[in-house]
mmCIF file of all heavy atoms in Angstrom:
data_model
loop_
_atom_site.group_PDB
_atom_site.id
_atom_site.type_symbol
_atom_site.label_atom_id
_atom_site.label_comp_id
_atom_site.label_asym_id
_atom_site.label_seq_id
_atom_site.Cartn_x
_atom_site.Cartn_y
_atom_site.Cartn_z
ATOM 1 N N LEU A 1 21.340 17.195 -0.631
ATOM 2 C CA LEU A 1 22.553 17.973 -0.824
ATOM 3 C C LEU A 1 23.774 17.299 -0.231
ATOM 4 O O LEU A 1 24.900 17.578 -0.634
ATOM 5 C CB LEU A 1 22.399 19.376 -0.197
ATOM 6 C CG LEU A 1 21.258 20.197 -0.795
ATOM 7 C CD1 LEU A 1 21.162 21.531 -0.054
ATOM 8 C CD2 LEU A 1 21.468 20.427 -2.289
ATOM 9 N N VAL A 2 23.581 16.433 0.777
ATOM 10 C CA VAL A 2 24.746 15.768 1.405
ATOM 11 C C VAL A 2 24.937 14.360 0.874
ATOM 12 O O VAL A 2 26.012 13.790 1.066
ATOM 13 C CB VAL A 2 24.600 15.730 2.942
ATOM 14 C CG1 VAL A 2 24.651 17.129 3.514
ATOM 15 C CG2 VAL A 2 23.396 14.986 3.399
ATOM 16 N N GLU A 3 23.934 13.808 0.198
ATOM 17 C CA GLU A 3 24.088 12.427 -0.341
ATOM 18 C C GLU A 3 23.626 12.519 -1.784
ATOM 19 O O GLU A 3 22.520 12.825 -2.155
ATOM 20 C CB GLU A 3 23.165 11.516 0.429
ATOM 21 C CG GLU A 3 23.318 10.060 0.057
ATOM 22 C CD GLU A 3 24.699 9.502 0.460
ATOM 23 O OE1 GLU A 3 25.180 9.784 1.577
ATOM 24 O OE2 GLU A 3 25.275 8.814 -0.379
ATOM 25 N N SER A 4 24.599 12.219 -2.709
ATOM 26 C CA SER A 4 24.333 12.379 -4.133
ATOM 27 C C SER A 4 23.727 11.127 -4.787
ATOM 28 O O SER A 4 23.349 11.230 -5.944
ATOM 29 C CB SER A 4 25.627 12.792 -4.819
ATOM 30 O OG SER A 4 26.596 11.724 -4.656
ATOM 31 N N GLY A 5 23.624 10.041 -4.095
ATOM 32 C CA GLY A 5 23.051 8.837 -4.649
ATOM 33 C C GLY A 5 24.112 7.917 -5.207
ATOM 34 O O GLY A 5 25.310 8.285 -5.124
ATOM 35 N N PRO A 6 23.831 6.845 -5.703
ATOM 36 C CA PRO A 6 22.490 6.224 -5.857
ATOM 37 C C PRO A 6 21.883 5.880 -4.498
ATOM 38 O O PRO A 6 22.557 5.717 -3.488
ATOM 39 C CB PRO A 6 22.768 4.959 -6.681
ATOM 40 C CG PRO A 6 24.162 4.570 -6.340
ATOM 41 C CD PRO A 6 24.882 5.883 -6.073
ATOM 42 N N TYR A 7 20.605 5.785 -4.495
ATOM 43 C CA TYR A 7 19.825 5.601 -3.279
ATOM 44 C C TYR A 7 19.326 4.179 -3.091
ATOM 45 O O TYR A 7 18.382 3.901 -2.339
ATOM 46 C CB TYR A 7 18.658 6.569 -3.245
ATOM 47 C CG TYR A 7 19.140 8.006 -3.414
ATOM 48 C CD1 TYR A 7 18.935 8.694 -4.636
ATOM 49 C CD2 TYR A 7 19.766 8.679 -2.413
ATOM 50 C CE1 TYR A 7 19.398 9.978 -4.765
ATOM 51 C CE2 TYR A 7 20.217 9.980 -2.548
ATOM 52 C CZ TYR A 7 20.020 10.608 -3.736
ATOM 53 O OH TYR A 7 20.488 11.894 -3.865
ATOM 54 N N ASP A 8 19.891 3.212 -3.809
ATOM 55 C CA ASP A 8 19.425 1.809 -3.793
ATOM 56 C C ASP A 8 19.460 1.262 -2.396
ATOM 57 O O ASP A 8 18.635 0.445 -2.014
ATOM 58 C CB ASP A 8 20.261 0.973 -4.735
ATOM 59 C CG ASP A 8 20.115 1.388 -6.178
ATOM 60 O OD1 ASP A 8 19.060 2.034 -6.493
ATOM 61 O OD2 ASP A 8 21.025 1.142 -6.970
ATOM 62 N N HIS A 9 20.492 1.579 -1.622
ATOM 63 C CA HIS A 9 20.656 1.030 -0.299
ATOM 64 C C HIS A 9 20.374 1.995 0.800
ATOM 65 O O HIS A 9 20.701 1.761 1.973
ATOM 66 C CB HIS A 9 22.051 0.435 -0.139
ATOM 67 C CG HIS A 9 22.356 -0.646 -1.145
ATOM 68 N ND1 HIS A 9 21.761 -1.873 -1.052
ATOM 69 C CD2 HIS A 9 23.129 -0.664 -2.223
ATOM 70 C CE1 HIS A 9 22.163 -2.592 -2.064
ATOM 71 N NE2 HIS A 9 23.029 -1.902 -2.794
ATOM 72 N N SER A 10 19.788 3.141 0.499
ATOM 73 C CA SER A 10 19.437 4.157 1.471
ATOM 74 C C SER A 10 18.091 3.842 2.082
ATOM 75 O O SER A 10 17.218 3.197 1.456
ATOM 76 C CB SER A 10 19.361 5.554 0.835
ATOM 77 O OG SER A 10 20.619 5.929 0.363
ATOM 78 N N TRP A 11 17.847 4.311 3.282
ATOM 79 C CA TRP A 11 16.528 4.166 3.873
ATOM 80 C C TRP A 11 15.527 4.905 2.968
ATOM 81 O O TRP A 11 15.737 6.039 2.564
ATOM 82 C CB TRP A 11 16.474 4.859 5.231
ATOM 83 C CG TRP A 11 17.270 4.245 6.319
ATOM 84 C CD1 TRP A 11 17.826 2.994 6.333
ATOM 85 C CD2 TRP A 11 17.552 4.821 7.583
ATOM 86 N NE1 TRP A 11 18.470 2.807 7.518
ATOM 87 C CE2 TRP A 11 18.305 3.872 8.303
ATOM 88 C CE3 TRP A 11 17.245 6.031 8.159
ATOM 89 C CZ2 TRP A 11 18.760 4.118 9.547
ATOM 90 C CZ3 TRP A 11 17.713 6.292 9.438
ATOM 91 C CH2 TRP A 11 18.466 5.334 10.100
ATOM 92 N N GLY A 12 14.460 4.244 2.624
ATOM 93 C CA GLY A 12 13.452 4.862 1.786
ATOM 94 C C GLY A 12 13.761 4.766 0.325
ATOM 95 O O GLY A 12 12.979 5.233 -0.485
ATOM 96 N N GLY A 13 14.932 4.268 -0.068
ATOM 97 C CA GLY A 13 15.341 4.204 -1.455
ATOM 98 C C GLY A 13 14.448 3.211 -2.231
ATOM 99 O O GLY A 13 13.618 2.615 -1.645
ATOM 100 N N PRO A 14 14.607 3.044 -3.457
ATOM 101 C CA PRO A 14 15.697 3.431 -4.328
ATOM 102 C C PRO A 14 15.521 4.832 -4.960
ATOM 103 O O PRO A 14 16.396 5.263 -5.680
ATOM 104 C CB PRO A 14 15.645 2.342 -5.407
ATOM 105 C CG PRO A 14 14.192 2.017 -5.481
ATOM 106 C CD PRO A 14 13.663 2.170 -4.110
ATOM 107 N N THR A 15 14.432 5.550 -4.652
ATOM 108 C CA THR A 15 14.242 6.891 -5.290
ATOM 109 C C THR A 15 14.736 7.976 -4.313
ATOM 110 O O THR A 15 14.788 7.763 -3.088
ATOM 111 C CB THR A 15 12.800 7.189 -5.617
ATOM 112 O OG1 THR A 15 12.050 7.253 -4.389
ATOM 113 C CG2 THR A 15 12.203 6.094 -6.501
ATOM 114 N N LEU A 16 15.099 9.126 -4.874
ATOM 115 C CA LEU A 16 15.528 10.268 -4.102
ATOM 116 C C LEU A 16 14.397 10.720 -3.185
ATOM 117 O O LEU A 16 14.595 11.012 -1.976
ATOM 118 C CB LEU A 16 15.949 11.415 -5.001
ATOM 119 C CG LEU A 16 16.203 12.770 -4.274
ATOM 120 C CD1 LEU A 16 17.299 12.658 -3.239
ATOM 121 C CD2 LEU A 16 16.525 13.817 -5.300
ATOM 122 N N ALA A 17 13.154 10.785 -3.715
ATOM 123 C CA ALA A 17 12.013 11.222 -2.893
ATOM 124 C C ALA A 17 11.782 10.343 -1.677
ATOM 125 O O ALA A 17 11.554 10.778 -0.578
ATOM 126 C CB ALA A 17 10.782 11.290 -3.763
ATOM 127 N N GLY A 18 11.857 9.036 -1.863
ATOM 128 C CA GLY A 18 11.662 8.095 -0.781
ATOM 129 C C GLY A 18 12.780 8.212 0.239
ATOM 130 O O GLY A 18 12.518 8.196 1.483
ATOM 131 N N ALA A 19 14.015 8.315 -0.233
ATOM 132 C CA ALA A 19 15.168 8.444 0.719
ATOM 133 C C ALA A 19 15.057 9.746 1.503
ATOM 134 O O ALA A 19 15.336 9.787 2.677
ATOM 135 C CB ALA A 19 16.462 8.342 -0.076
ATOM 136 N N TRP A 20 14.714 10.801 0.819
ATOM 137 C CA TRP A 20 14.591 12.118 1.459
ATOM 138 C C TRP A 20 13.511 12.090 2.517
ATOM 139 O O TRP A 20 13.681 12.528 3.653
ATOM 140 C CB TRP A 20 14.301 13.185 0.429
ATOM 141 C CG TRP A 20 14.404 14.593 0.903
ATOM 142 C CD1 TRP A 20 14.680 15.039 2.157
ATOM 143 C CD2 TRP A 20 14.202 15.757 0.107
ATOM 144 N NE1 TRP A 20 14.686 16.399 2.169
ATOM 145 C CE2 TRP A 20 14.399 16.898 0.916
ATOM 146 C CE3 TRP A 20 13.872 15.982 -1.258
ATOM 147 C CZ2 TRP A 20 14.274 18.176 0.471
ATOM 148 C CZ3 TRP A 20 13.764 17.285 -1.690
ATOM 149 C CH2 TRP A 20 13.980 18.374 -0.860
ATOM 150 N N ALA A 21 12.344 11.509 2.177
ATOM 151 C CA ALA A 21 11.222 11.462 3.114
ATOM 152 C C ALA A 21 11.567 10.634 4.345
ATOM 153 O O ALA A 21 11.316 10.993 5.481
ATOM 154 C CB ALA A 21 9.976 10.884 2.400
ATOM 155 N N ALA A 22 12.210 9.482 4.081
ATOM 156 C CA ALA A 22 12.598 8.576 5.226
ATOM 157 C C ALA A 22 13.578 9.283 6.161
ATOM 158 O O ALA A 22 13.421 9.266 7.373
ATOM 159 C CB ALA A 22 13.187 7.276 4.678
ATOM 160 N N HIS A 23 14.585 9.906 5.592
ATOM 161 C CA HIS A 23 15.592 10.584 6.418
ATOM 162 C C HIS A 23 15.006 11.824 7.148
ATOM 163 O O HIS A 23 15.325 12.089 8.311
ATOM 164 C CB HIS A 23 16.806 10.997 5.598
ATOM 165 C CG HIS A 23 17.702 9.851 5.340
ATOM 166 N ND1 HIS A 23 17.461 8.924 4.328
ATOM 167 C CD2 HIS A 23 18.840 9.472 5.932
ATOM 168 C CE1 HIS A 23 18.420 8.026 4.323
ATOM 169 N NE2 HIS A 23 19.269 8.328 5.304
ATOM 170 N N PHE A 24 14.096 12.493 6.487
ATOM 171 C CA PHE A 24 13.426 13.665 7.131
ATOM 172 C C PHE A 24 12.575 13.216 8.300
ATOM 173 O O PHE A 24 12.656 13.813 9.400
ATOM 174 C CB PHE A 24 12.631 14.414 6.117
ATOM 175 C CG PHE A 24 11.911 15.603 6.675
ATOM 176 C CD1 PHE A 24 12.602 16.779 6.996
ATOM 177 C CD2 PHE A 24 10.539 15.569 6.935
ATOM 178 C CE1 PHE A 24 11.946 17.850 7.538
ATOM 179 C CE2 PHE A 24 9.909 16.650 7.469
ATOM 180 C CZ PHE A 24 10.565 17.786 7.781
ATOM 181 N N LEU A 25 11.808 12.130 8.102
ATOM 182 C CA LEU A 25 10.941 11.638 9.161
ATOM 183 C C LEU A 25 11.730 11.054 10.347
ATOM 184 O O LEU A 25 11.281 11.142 11.502
ATOM 185 C CB LEU A 25 9.945 10.590 8.600
ATOM 186 C CG LEU A 25 8.911 11.194 7.657
ATOM 187 C CD1 LEU A 25 8.068 10.075 7.018
ATOM 188 C CD2 LEU A 25 8.006 12.206 8.348
ATOM 189 N N VAL A 26 12.855 10.485 10.057
ATOM 190 C CA VAL A 26 13.697 9.991 11.147
ATOM 191 C C VAL A 26 14.357 11.151 11.893
ATOM 192 O O VAL A 26 14.530 11.122 13.125
ATOM 193 C CB VAL A 26 14.766 9.003 10.580
ATOM 194 C CG1 VAL A 26 15.847 8.694 11.622
ATOM 195 C CG2 VAL A 26 14.123 7.723 10.134
ATOM 196 N N ALA A 27 14.677 12.220 11.202
ATOM 197 C CA ALA A 27 15.372 13.348 11.842
ATOM 198 C C ALA A 27 14.445 14.156 12.736
ATOM 199 O O ALA A 27 14.876 14.794 13.679
ATOM 200 C CB ALA A 27 15.934 14.280 10.752
ATOM 201 N N LEU A 28 13.139 14.165 12.445
ATOM 202 C CA LEU A 28 12.172 14.962 13.271
ATOM 203 C C LEU A 28 12.228 14.678 14.722
ATOM 204 O O LEU A 28 12.346 15.585 15.541
ATOM 205 C CB LEU A 28 10.756 14.816 12.692
ATOM 206 C CG LEU A 28 10.475 15.594 11.416
ATOM 207 C CD1 LEU A 28 9.043 15.302 10.955
ATOM 208 C CD2 LEU A 28 10.696 17.055 11.585
ATOM 209 N N PRO A 29 12.091 13.407 15.176
ATOM 210 C CA PRO A 29 12.121 13.137 16.628
ATOM 211 C C PRO A 29 13.493 13.472 17.228
ATOM 212 O O PRO A 29 13.548 13.917 18.400
ATOM 213 C CB PRO A 29 11.769 11.682 16.766
ATOM 214 C CG PRO A 29 11.840 11.075 15.438
ATOM 215 C CD PRO A 29 11.786 12.196 14.442
ATOM 216 N N PHE A 30 14.579 13.316 16.489
ATOM 217 C CA PHE A 30 15.890 13.668 17.025
ATOM 218 C C PHE A 30 16.007 15.151 17.194
ATOM 219 O O PHE A 30 16.588 15.656 18.163
ATOM 220 C CB PHE A 30 16.978 13.117 16.137
ATOM 221 C CG PHE A 30 17.191 11.657 16.291
ATOM 222 C CD1 PHE A 30 16.640 10.755 15.379
ATOM 223 C CD2 PHE A 30 17.903 11.136 17.404
ATOM 224 C CE1 PHE A 30 16.825 9.382 15.504
ATOM 225 C CE2 PHE A 30 18.095 9.763 17.517
ATOM 226 C CZ PHE A 30 17.552 8.876 16.610
ATOM 227 N N ALA A 31 15.464 15.916 16.247
ATOM 228 C CA ALA A 31 15.503 17.358 16.362
ATOM 229 C C ALA A 31 14.691 17.833 17.577
ATOM 230 O O ALA A 31 15.102 18.708 18.321
ATOM 231 C CB ALA A 31 14.970 18.015 15.068
ATOM 232 N N ALA A 32 13.521 17.216 17.742
ATOM 233 C CA ALA A 32 12.674 17.584 18.908
ATOM 234 C C ALA A 32 13.379 17.219 20.212
ATOM 235 O O ALA A 32 13.377 18.010 21.166
ATOM 236 C CB ALA A 32 11.320 16.888 18.786
ATOM 237 N N ALA A 33 14.011 16.062 20.255
ATOM 238 C CA ALA A 33 14.739 15.608 21.474
ATOM 239 C C ALA A 33 15.890 16.586 21.745
ATOM 240 O O ALA A 33 16.163 16.947 22.903
ATOM 241 C CB ALA A 33 15.240 14.209 21.314
ATOM 242 N N GLY A 34 16.594 17.007 20.709
ATOM 243 C CA GLY A 34 17.718 17.957 20.883
ATOM 244 C C GLY A 34 17.246 19.275 21.461
ATOM 245 O O GLY A 34 17.895 19.832 22.373
ATOM 246 N N LEU A 35 16.127 19.777 20.963
ATOM 247 C CA LEU A 35 15.597 20.989 21.480
ATOM 248 C C LEU A 35 15.164 20.849 22.949
ATOM 249 O O LEU A 35 15.351 21.745 23.766
ATOM 250 C CB LEU A 35 14.414 21.490 20.630
ATOM 251 C CG LEU A 35 14.733 22.029 19.263
ATOM 252 C CD1 LEU A 35 13.459 22.333 18.511
ATOM 253 C CD2 LEU A 35 15.587 23.234 19.377
ATOM 254 N N GLY A 36 14.562 19.697 23.268
ATOM 255 C CA GLY A 36 14.141 19.428 24.601
ATOM 256 C C GLY A 36 15.336 19.362 25.543
ATOM 257 O O GLY A 36 15.277 19.912 26.700
ATOM 258 N N VAL A 37 16.412 18.702 25.160
ATOM 259 C CA VAL A 37 17.627 18.667 25.991
ATOM 260 C C VAL A 37 18.219 20.029 26.218
ATOM 261 O O VAL A 37 18.627 20.386 27.304
ATOM 262 C CB VAL A 37 18.664 17.616 25.372
ATOM 263 C CG1 VAL A 37 20.016 17.751 26.074
ATOM 264 C CG2 VAL A 37 18.089 16.252 25.482
ATOM 265 N N LEU A 38 18.237 20.835 25.132
ATOM 266 C CA LEU A 38 18.766 22.195 25.280
ATOM 267 C C LEU A 38 17.890 23.013 26.288
ATOM 268 O O LEU A 38 18.432 23.788 27.072
ATOM 269 C CB LEU A 38 18.893 22.915 23.919
ATOM 270 C CG LEU A 38 20.043 22.469 23.036
ATOM 271 C CD1 LEU A 38 19.875 23.024 21.653
ATOM 272 C CD2 LEU A 38 21.328 22.883 23.650
ATOM 273 N N ALA A 39 16.594 22.854 26.201
ATOM 274 C CA ALA A 39 15.716 23.543 27.119
ATOM 275 C C ALA A 39 15.963 23.116 28.566
ATOM 276 O O ALA A 39 15.956 23.903 29.479
ATOM 277 C CB ALA A 39 14.251 23.385 26.746
ATOM 278 N N LEU A 40 16.193 21.805 28.753
ATOM 279 C CA LEU A 40 16.532 21.318 30.090
ATOM 280 C C LEU A 40 17.865 21.846 30.585
ATOM 281 O O LEU A 40 18.053 22.158 31.764
ATOM 282 C CB LEU A 40 16.539 19.790 30.104
ATOM 283 C CG LEU A 40 15.188 19.118 30.002
ATOM 284 C CD1 LEU A 40 15.316 17.599 29.831
ATOM 285 C CD2 LEU A 40 14.266 19.417 31.194
#
């Protein structure tokens, strides 16, 4: 929804599914770290 493509130079590209999966997997540890910092 925030990146309309083309995904040729995106992480996980050139397909939307690959780019989405790569960005989602990279975001998971950052989300966990953010929650941990808020708890601290």
